[in-house]
Amino acid sequence: MKKILSLGVLTVCGLTLAACNGANNSADNKKNESTSASQTKADDVYFKDDTLKIEMATLKILGTEVLPADENLFREKPQLAITYEVTNDSKEPISASTVWIACMGLTQEGSDTINKLNVGMTPQDEKFAEYTEHQLDDIKPGGTAKAIISYDLDDTETPVILKANQGMAGKELGEKTINLK
């Protein structure tokens, strides 16, 4: 039940961020905006060195860890846990999980296909308490919050590819290979 609720909240948050990003993009398309201002704005969004910078926020990946399946911690499959922090660069409150869900996608190669990884149950391990405490809370403009997300793995050997986009339907900004071993 918690998993369904978490996924529902994250989906709503992701759609909210995508809508906000779309509103900002429509302003970008005005004819009276100069080319140089447009170029400067494009240079301000990127994904490199584990840092995603979009107009609304800056997301920094802090670490990754493969967690074994553990029924006592509600993990039916092994998971890739990713800790990160988000700084709100906008003038409106946002949540760390909204930024992640709207901008990041993970895949892993199967024998014949490339599989999109599904978000798993938030890790309940005590060592992640500082990341789960405020991950769904709104971050005030200029504030920073830590968070965690996990993805269910069928294979704990094959590397995972993380692709960063500028919002849910935005331009691809880069990718990172996460080695699981």
Side-chain angles (χ1 to χ4, degrees), residues 128-137 146-148:
F128 296 122
E130 71 177 298
Y131 299 101
T132 59
E133 185 177 16
H134 298 290
Q135 74 177 13
L136 296 177
D137 295 347
K146 291 182 178 180
I148 187 168

Side-chain angles (χ1 to χ4, degrees), residues 35-76:
T35 305
S36 63
S38 184
Q39 182 62 37
T40 302
K41 189 173 257 189
D43 292 342
D44 289 344
V45 296
Y46 58 85
F47 179 65
K48 63 182 176 183
D49 300 326
D50 289 344
T51 301
L52 170 71
K53 175 67 179 105
I54 59 172
E55 193 174 315
M56 299 175 70
T58 303
L59 182 150
K60 173 79 174 145
I61 296 173
L62 302 174
T64 62
E65 182 178 343
V66 176
L67 305 174
D70 186 336
E71 292 290 326
N72 295 326
L73 296 172
F74 307 105
R75 273 195 299 271
E76 295 176 12

